[in-house]
Amino acid sequence: MAGKAPTPEMLADIPKLITAYFVEQPDPGIENQRVSFGTSGHRGSSLKCTFNERHILAITEAICDYRSAQGTDGPLFLAKDTHALSEPAFETAVAVLLHRGVEVMTDLQGGYTPTPALSHAILTYNRHRTTELADGIVITPSHNPPEDGGFKYNPPDGGPADTSATQWIQNRANALLGDKQLQRPAVHGKAHRYDYVSNYVNDLASVVDMDAIRDARLELCADPLGGAGVAYWARIADKYRLNLTIQHDHVDPTFRFMTVDWDGKIRMDCSSPHAMAGLIALKDKFDVAFACDTDHDRHGIVTHSAGLLNPNHYLAVAISYLYTNRPGWSSDAGVGKTLVSSLTIDRVAAHLGRRLVEVPVGFKWFVPGLLDGGLGFGGEESAGASFLRRDGSVWTTDKDGIILGLLSAEILARTGSDAGVVYKKLTEQFGAPVYERIDAPATPEQKAKLAKLSPEQVTAKELAGDPIVAMLTKAPGNDAPIGGLKVVTSRGWFAARPSGTENVYKLYAESLAGIEHLKALQHEAQALVSRALEGR
């Protein structure tokens, strides 16, 4: 079914999902029914007792306690996406926040709010302030299937909360989860309305050259995939007079218009060729097309020359273009990447003479650099990135799929070449490494061991025919634990880290010597990790 339309029986039962949110009661004594903040907040499904009203009551109360402890007493910006569970979770959160006396800022029209628009709102409000700072909550499971819900906290820096904050909130929420006094409070007062759409859309020209895109008269296509940006793209086209066709700008919580992903699930993953099959089929109709996932923090770029660009390829293109076309940026602004992203980025950064900052997986690691301009760009291999305004000041400190889509149009408008052609030129200059991420089975116990693995536990001296030159459990850019292991040779590398939501570990690998060498890397990496986890 991968890449094909879903059958009726594959669609989520929305009434059943909503009913379970209110009726099913999680058991705090069962580990997987407790609150768990991964790299992007708490995620789960009401049908599995992992995302129910008691979870949201507990997490929201915990966030109120956390912001009080931190002295955060300004308004709280609240965003939701179009997943079915986002609406009831939104209503639950509003009730708790208002009961706790928090000034809540919701969408002017009662609509949906992308993650980058929330980050932009927090930073805009806090600019030049030192007291009464704002923070935010985003209700989204990102690109997860329709049955899932998600809930994450963004502190006053506008980005994803760091580990100390999420651990505090998680622990407090779990302490509250078993409290019989935990009930939805009566609502007193109303949330305030905030024009997220206008404030974000009207400011876009400060970060992307919208005039160049308009003047090039490009035939563009944007696909919000029925997500939180459904009200944004038409406003962008109207404001900047773009020739923009919009796909799937209606809300359907079953997401029946999607094509099925690699594993038979409906998933709004704009970096997946299976999930993006519909837009890929239109590649010859437009000069460039782009899509965003459900909360619009990720991007997918479709070009004439290459179809759907691999996220690593587009990150390299964006970095190469931005650092040579943003004269307002500081010459000291570094390049941020996660240590599971492509070596091409390293080579592009070196060619540009820019400092490379390599961090663990999680966009939170880029927040300080984007905030103070120390990083011009921060990007993840999973198609999440953001960059500075054209004058070198902060735009968002969370991922922004909208500006990455518009940037692909700017690149074509300014250079005459689409991003696929630009990447091909980069490979002629820096080589064409082969990259792949796969999932391998792992028990919860094995995942816990992997997260704490040390280089001393790895006895191998070679990998795929080459001597091992480095074994990393901390990121070079900030010395933070990576929650796994990265092994490097002269011709390639692999990294393994446990999934936060499934009984698998993620295996990333890249070869400078071709596909056969990549397969050898993957095979030997899995054996190496297995031996280390078994203590052999």
Side-chain angles (χ1 to χ4, degrees):
M1 291 297 297
K4 298 178 182 178
T7 57
E9 60 270 16
M10 298 173 72
L11 302 179
D13 185 334
I14 303 302
K16 185 177 180 181
L17 199 65
I18 303 300
T19 301
Y21 172 82
F22 292 106
V23 172
E24 298 297 328
Q25 302 291 313
D27 183 348
I30 299 175
E31 184 63 31
N32 66 1
Q33 292 185 20
R34 291 164 63 82
V35 173
S36 177
F37 271 74
T39 53
S40 289
H42 175 80
R43 295 184 189 181
S45 174
S46 62
L47 301 176
K48 299 177 180 178
C49 267
T50 51
F51 194 92
N52 304 83
E53 184 167 50
R54 286 190 68 80
H55 291 110
I56 305 310
L57 289 169
I59 296 170
T60 310
E61 290 279 7
I63 288 173
C64 289
D65 292 342
Y66 179 79
R67 69 196 308 269
S68 293
Q70 296 296 310
T72 304
D73 54 359
L76 183 141
F77 289 88
L78 185 61
K80 64 182 176 185
D81 78 355
T82 57
H83 276 80
L85 288 172
S86 294
E87 191 65 43
F90 178 86
E91 297 301 328
T92 301
V94 167
V96 173
L97 293 167
L98 292 179
H99 180 74
R100 293 290 297 266
V102 177
E103 182 183 1
V104 186
M105 312 294 282
T106 62
D107 181 72
L108 181 65
Q109 303 297 330
Y112 308 97
T113 303
T115 289
L118 178 112
S119 180
H120 180 272
I122 294 170
L123 294 173
T124 300
Y125 183 89
N126 289 340
R127 190 177 298 149
H128 309 308
R129 287 177 180 268
T130 56
T131 61
E132 298 183 356
L133 297 177
D135 55 358
I137 292 172
V138 189
I139 303 174
T140 176
S142 190
H143 58 286
N144 277 28
E147 295 85 357
D148 286 2
F151 204 86
K152 63 180 184 177
Y153 175 65
N154 285 38
D157 61 21
D162 64 23
T163 307
S164 63
T166 56
Q167 193 68 48
W168 196 101
I169 293 166
Q170 174 182 298
N171 292 344
R172 177 62 179 150
N174 281 321
L176 292 167
L177 195 60
D179 187 346
K180 293 181 180 179
Q181 301 299 314
L182 184 69
Q183 301 289 337
R184 174 195 276 254
V187 177
H188 299 289
K190 292 184 178 180
H192 295 270
R193 297 295 190 178
Y194 178 80
D195 193 352
Y196 286 102
V197 181
S198 295
N199 281 286
Y200 179 88
V201 170
N202 293 346
D203 205 15
L204 277 170
S206 72
V207 68
V208 177
D209 191 344
M210 303 301 291
D211 289 342
I213 299 172
R214 180 198 64 226
D215 294 345
R217 301 180 182 277
L218 300 174
E219 292 270 357
L220 305 174
C221 180
D223 192 341
L225 300 180
V230 289
Y232 283 66
W233 290 105
R235 287 284 296 276
I236 291 169
D238 182 62
K239 167 74 177 175
Y240 298 103
R241 291 176 288 159
L242 305 183
N243 186 5
L244 180 67
T245 298
I246 305 169
Q247 298 281 110
H248 304 125
D249 60 349
H250 59 282
V251 175
D252 176 354
T254 68
F255 295 90
R256 70 184 70 227
F257 51 81
M258 292 296 300
T259 48
V260 176
D261 207 359
W262 64 275
D263 57 355
K265 293 183 179 180
I266 297 173
R267 187 180 285 112
M268 288 60 70
D269 183 354
C270 49
S271 66
S272 164
H274 306 297
M276 288 279 281
L279 194 61
I280 294 170
L282 301 177
K283 76 180 183 70
D284 294 328
K285 286 188 63 176
F286 302 101
D287 293 310
V288 64
F290 31 85
C292 292
D293 69 340
T294 325
D295 71 319
H296 275 48
D297 70 344
R298 300 182 190 224
H299 59 270
I301 311 301
V302 176
T303 67
H304 275 316
S305 62
L308 178 66
L309 280 178
N310 179 294
N312 273 302
H313 298 179
Y314 184 56
L315 293 183
V317 169
I319 290 164
S320 177
Y321 173 82
L322 285 167
Y323 285 84
T324 51
N325 288 276
R326 290 296 187 266
W329 287 12
S330 166
S331 59
D332 296 326
V335 176
K337 62 166 278 194
T338 53
L339 84 170
V340 296
S341 300
S342 175
L343 285 168
T344 303
I345 295 171
D346 304 47
R347 295 177 172 188
V348 168
H351 178 74
L352 293 167
R354 295 285 181 161
R355 173 175 52 96
L356 185 72
V357 181
E358 200 169 9
V359 301
V361 172
F363 204 78
K364 62 191 175 190
W365 302 109
F366 299 127
V367 172
L370 291 170
L371 201 57
D372 66 13
L375 292 178
F377 181 97
E380 299 186 293
E381 61 80 32
S382 54
S386 190
F387 51 89
L388 298 179
R389 294 173 189 261
R390 293 159 74 185
D391 66 3
S393 62
V394 63
W395 167 251
T396 63
T397 46
D398 214 328
K399 296 172 286 195
D400 190 335
I402 297 173
I403 63 168
L404 268 296
L406 292 170
L407 180 69
S408 69
E410 181 189 327
I411 291 170
L412 178 56
R414 294 277 300 273
T415 69
S417 298
D418 69 38
V421 172
V422 176
Y423 181 73
K424 189 172 187 303
K425 292 176 182 176
L426 292 179
T427 63
E428 292 168 359
Q429 188 174 1
F430 302 117
V434 187
Y435 179 105
E436 188 177 30
R437 192 194 90 183
I438 58 176
D439 292 342
T443 65
E445 294 76 20
Q446 289 174 323
K447 287 166 56 181
K449 284 184 180 180
L450 179 56
K452 298 176 181 177
L453 202 62
S454 68
E456 291 74 26
Q457 292 172 261
V458 179
T459 57
K461 302 298 181 186
E462 288 191 352
L463 182 68
D466 298 312
I468 293 172
V469 298
M471 285 189 283
L472 308 173
T473 55
K474 293 185 177 181
N478 59 2
D479 205 36
I482 65 177
L485 176 72
K486 182 175 182 179
V487 177
V488 184
T489 73
S490 61
R491 294 195 299 159
W493 60 270
F494 84 84
R497 51 182 292 272
S499 166
T501 56
E502 300 176 88
N503 285 330
V504 299
Y505 70 85
K506 299 178 187 299
L507 183 71
Y508 311 79
E510 186 171 35
S511 170
L512 300 172
I515 188 67
E516 292 304 318
H517 183 249
L518 175 70
K519 297 301 180 186
L521 274 175
Q522 292 170 326
H523 177 73
E524 293 190 25
Q526 287 184 274
L528 184 152
V529 171
S530 295
R531 288 196 301 272
L533 293 179
E534 294 167 6
R536 293 189 283 115

